[in-house]
Amino acid sequence: MNLYGGVDEAGRGPLAGPVVAAAVVLRDGATIKGVRDSKQLSPARRTELAASIRAAAVSWSVAVADVAEIDQLNILGATMLAMRRAVSGLSVQPDLLRIDGNRLPDLDAGFTGRLEALVGGDDICPAIGAASILAKVARDEMMRALHLEYPMYGFDSHKGYPTRLHLEALAKFGVSPVHRMSYRPVREAAGGQRPGAGG
């Protein structure tokens, strides 16, 4: 049985919260109706499809790199780390693993399949599209949970992206422990204060 996998991430652009990666393994030739780039789907449709993906996949895994790792490694390095963790979490190894984008993560030595970078893969590779959805759904859930801890920022609505509402909240309340200090708008809002001093 030939198996192929896809890996994608969610959350490179936000000012707060983790970056999340997902890996999905499917049987060769398998598709899941409705799967495409998660950004083209409504939140409700993504949630529905996530359940279908988890049921249909041979294996799937979701992993994160947290804010401290983003600030230490930079967002590209943290994204690659989250992808590596997602692949390591798979219970079944694919023969071919496609990564969305033009860079390949440095995987654990135990991975013996073939790696392939695929620009725009979330639109043309079902496994990458499925991974995109799982990563986005998982990250949105994490940001809703962070909203309960830090309701003044509105994480439940903008998920940490630099919307006007978010930037206004940063200016008013300062930064929280879940903001990415390596991102310029956060540093500017901090104004020299230590992380967590605001709010």
Side-chain angles (χ1 to χ4, degrees), residues 84-116:
R84 176 178 180 168
R85 288 170 173 165
V87 175
S88 295
L90 292 171
S91 60
V92 178
Q93 195 176 103
D95 304 296
L96 169 65
L97 186 63
R98 293 188 172 111
I99 313 291
D100 186 53
N102 60 3
R103 293 178 184 250
L104 295 173
D106 181 20
L107 299 182
D108 291 334
F111 181 81
T112 58
R114 202 156 48 87
L115 275 181
E116 182 179 294

Side-chain angles (χ1 to χ4, degrees), residues 9 11-14 17-20 64-83 85 103 180-184 187:
E9 54 72 30
R12 290 181 69 161
V19 61
V20 178
V64 308
D66 63 25
V67 169
E69 290 168 325
I70 292 169
D71 286 341
Q72 178 185 0
L73 300 173
N74 75 39
I75 188 59
L76 176 60
T79 299
M80 295 294 108
L81 176 61
M83 287 183 170
R85 288 170 173 165
R103 293 178 184 250
R180 302 174 181 179
M181 289 299 293
S182 53
Y183 281 45
R184 188 173 69 182
R187 288 198 306 272

Side-chain angles (χ1 to χ4, degrees), residues 81-173:
L81 176 61
M83 287 183 170
R84 176 178 180 168
R85 288 170 173 165
V87 175
S88 295
L90 292 171
S91 60
V92 178
Q93 195 176 103
D95 304 296
L96 169 65
L97 186 63
R98 293 188 172 111
I99 313 291
D100 186 53
N102 60 3
R103 293 178 184 250
L104 295 173
D106 181 20
L107 299 182
D108 291 334
F111 181 81
T112 58
R114 202 156 48 87
L115 275 181
E116 182 179 294
L118 191 60
V119 176
D122 40 15
D123 273 334
I124 57 180
C125 173
I128 292 179
S132 171
I133 290 167
L134 290 191
K136 178 65 173 165
V137 168
R139 189 178 188 281
D140 284 356
E141 289 174 357
M142 294 173 195
M143 295 310 295
R144 284 192 290 270
L146 288 178
H147 174 73
L148 300 179
E149 293 186 59
Y150 307 100
M152 69 284 284
Y153 296 103
F155 290 145
D156 60 332
S157 64
H158 53 67
K159 307 302 187 292
Y161 283 89
T163 63
R164 188 178 70 177
L165 171 69
H166 191 184
L167 295 174
E168 288 174 351
L170 269 174
K172 182 175 181 180
F173 299 108

Side-chain angles (χ1 to χ4, degrees), residues 9-90:
E9 54 72 30
R12 290 181 69 161
L15 306 179
V19 61
V20 178
V24 174
V25 178
L26 300 175
R27 290 174 180 83
D28 197 18
T31 60
I32 301 170
K33 187 177 180 181
V35 167
R36 65 175 92 169
D37 178 4
S38 65
K39 295 183 286 294
Q40 300 178 26
L41 301 167
S42 70
R45 184 63 178 141
R46 280 196 297 265
T47 299
E48 289 173 5
L49 283 170
S52 299
I53 292 163
R54 289 190 287 263
V58 175
S59 181
W60 62 272
S61 172
V62 173
V64 308
D66 63 25
V67 169
E69 290 168 325
I70 292 169
D71 286 341
Q72 178 185 0
L73 300 173
N74 75 39
I75 188 59
L76 176 60
T79 299
M80 295 294 108
L81 176 61
M83 287 183 170
R84 176 178 180 168
R85 288 170 173 165
V87 175
S88 295
L90 292 171

